[in-house]
Amino acid sequence: MGRWEPNAGDRLREAALELFHEQGYDRTTVEEIAARAGLTERTFFRYYTDKREVLFAGAAALQESIVASIKAAPASTTPLDAADAAFAGTSEMFEARRALARKRHELILAHRELQERELIKLASLGAAIAETVHGRGIGRPAASLIGDTAMAIFMNAFVRWVTDTKKHDLAHHMRATYADLRLATA
Amino acid sequence: MGRWEPNAGDRLREAALELFHEQGYDRTTVEEIAARAGLTERTFFRYYTDKREVLFAGAAALQESIVASIKAAPASTTPLDAADAAFAGTSEMFEARRALARKRHELILAHRELQERELIKLASLGAAIAETVHGRGIGRPAASLIGDTAMAIFMNAFVRWVTDTKKHDLAHHMRATYADLRLATA
């Protein structure tokens, strides 16, 4: 093998999550992940540096999408509203991966090293939002607070979404969480 | 030595921060930290498991103080106000350690492994606040959001405080940051 494989990145990610779920994160090897996906280890390493990275492959694309959406928001939109709408705009993408997102969420909760990596990625997304908001003319201290607040809303909305037995979408939970924040600060 | 040493924990912490600052975190050994503090390595290990832990020794006491203060707040105080007041109440303690706090802050920014540990500690403080707020009769989803929002305010106020050339205290920056949050959500 070693040739181009359609959706190899996604297939490896799904295979990894299945195996982590079935036999545990610690016991799963890259070799097994590649085999489950019907690919070689060599192909695996063309996509990911290690098995942990498989779980965070979506972070860069999410950040790009959020930043682009905030930049494109009308000038009349408040920065926090723009960030909120940006996350709500990823709702369909998340909806298509609900089952995987749930497995991933449980896995991360159960492993401290994964939690640490997750927190770093989320902090870096918050910093990117702050930078983008600053680019819209907001001073750095306020922009940084807005970045962290947007992340607090998103992270809470995400947990509500991923554990929601009624299956409302992320946009629904973003609205509800943002409303809760307004109540809490009122 | 090995006998009881007055303020050994604090002395080791100060010595460690001085050495990290002077010669770099990576190059500093536990032996050197103990020597600078006028103590033995054995004493060091009675207080801290490793040199990284020296930087996070205050986390448990901070959490205890914040939780106790939220529990003691009048029932009429909103949960976020109670959390805000709890952090403002630590202002004097932080003021007494401004120079150390600044050195620590710069050090953490410069080392990813320290950032990861810091983020985990802050997340755990946010979870403790959420749990305490839940104990005051707030549902879990809203309590969790309030915990994370309180942390966003505190972390931003802390950075403003630790980098403030005018030397306003933490309570001042908590007020200003909380006011910024109200503006951002208005």
Side-chain angles (χ1 to χ4, degrees):
Chain A
M1 299 227 291
R3 57 197 161 70
W4 180 80
E5 295 284 350
N7 307 319
D10 285 349
R11 281 161 61 194
L12 287 163
R13 179 142 54 148
E14 275 187 48
L17 277 161
E18 278 174 23
L19 286 165
F20 293 162
H21 188 68
E22 286 166 24
Q23 61 189 41
Y25 171 75
D26 294 323
R27 253 174 287 161
T28 300
T29 65
V30 166
E31 193 184 347
E32 290 170 315
I33 296 168
R36 171 72 62 103
L39 297 164
T40 61
E41 273 188 81
R42 215 176 125 186
T43 303
F44 179 95
F45 288 115
R46 211 173 302 135
Y47 285 85
Y48 307 107
T49 53
D50 55 37
K51 69 176 179 181
R52 186 164 77 160
E53 209 41 54
V54 175
L55 296 166
F56 300 97
L62 178 63
Q63 181 163 318
E64 227 170 90
S65 152
I66 297 298
V67 164
S69 171
I70 296 173
K71 280 186 181 161
S76 60
T77 308
T78 74
L80 196 55
D81 284 350
D84 185 62
F87 281 111
T90 63
S91 195
E92 270 184 50
M93 180 278 289
F94 277 106
E95 206 54 46
R97 295 162 191 220
R98 187 188 276 266
L100 284 180
R102 180 166 185 128
K103 277 185 199 159
R104 179 184 178 280
H105 177 66
E106 286 166 1
L107 194 68
I108 286 177
L109 282 186
H111 291 82
R112 192 184 160 110
E113 76 171 283
L114 299 178
Q115 267 175 59
E116 287 191 346
R117 175 73 66 101
E118 174 87 330
L119 288 171
I120 280 273
K121 296 270 180 187
L122 292 171
S124 121
L125 179 49
I129 293 172
E131 202 49 41
T132 312
V133 164
H134 177 60
R136 285 171 63 100
I138 307 292
R140 282 207 189 273
S144 170
L145 177 68
I146 289 166
D148 290 343
T149 305
M151 290 311 296
I153 299 172
F154 168 62
M155 291 184 311
N156 279 275
F158 181 85
V159 172
R160 294 179 189 194
W161 169 73
V162 88
T163 58
D164 181 9
T165 52
K166 289 188 191 144
K167 310 263 168 110
H168 292 299
D169 67 6
L170 181 66
H172 167 93
H173 288 291
M174 285 296 298
R175 276 192 301 277
T177 308
Y178 197 10
D180 280 354
L181 179 69
R182 288 180 198 274
L183 262 182
T185 56
Chain B
M1 300 228 287
R3 58 198 160 71
W4 181 80
E5 294 284 350
N7 306 319
D10 285 348
R11 282 161 61 193
L12 287 162
R13 180 143 52 148
E14 275 186 50
L17 277 161
E18 277 174 22
L19 285 165
F20 293 163
H21 189 69
E22 286 167 24
Q23 62 188 40
Y25 171 74
D26 293 323
R27 253 174 286 160
T28 300
T29 65
V30 166
E31 194 185 346
E32 290 170 317
I33 296 168
R36 171 71 61 102
L39 298 164
T40 62
E41 272 189 81
R42 214 176 126 187
T43 303
F44 179 95
F45 288 116
R46 211 172 302 135
Y47 285 85
Y48 306 108
T49 52
D50 55 37
K51 69 177 179 179
R52 185 165 77 160
E53 209 40 54
V54 175
L55 296 165
F56 300 97
L62 177 63
Q63 181 162 319
E64 226 171 89
S65 150
I66 297 298
V67 165
S69 170
I70 296 173
K71 280 187 182 161
S76 60
T77 307
T78 74
L80 195 55
D81 284 351
D84 185 62
F87 281 112
T90 64
S91 195
E92 270 184 48
M93 181 277 289
F94 276 107
E95 207 54 48
R97 294 162 191 221
R98 188 188 276 265
L100 285 179
R102 181 166 185 129
K103 277 185 199 159
R104 179 183 178 280
H105 177 66
E106 286 167 1
L107 194 68
I108 287 177
L109 282 186
H111 291 82
R112 193 185 160 110
E113 76 170 283
L114 298 179
Q115 267 175 62
E116 288 191 345
R117 176 73 66 102
E118 175 85 331
L119 288 171
I120 280 273
K121 296 271 182 188
L122 292 171
S124 121
L125 178 49
I129 293 172
E131 203 48 43
T132 313
V133 164
H134 177 59
R136 285 171 63 99
I138 307 292
R140 282 207 190 274
S144 170
L145 177 68
I146 289 166
D148 290 343
T149 305
M151 290 312 297
I153 300 172
F154 168 62
M155 291 183 310
N156 279 276
F158 181 85
V159 171
R160 295 180 189 194
W161 169 72
V162 88
T163 58
D164 181 9
T165 51
K166 290 189 191 143
K167 310 263 167 110
H168 292 299
D169 66 7
L170 181 66
H172 167 94
H173 288 291
M174 285 295 298
R175 276 193 301 277
T177 308
Y178 197 10
D180 279 355
L181 179 69
R182 288 181 197 273
L183 262 182
T185 56

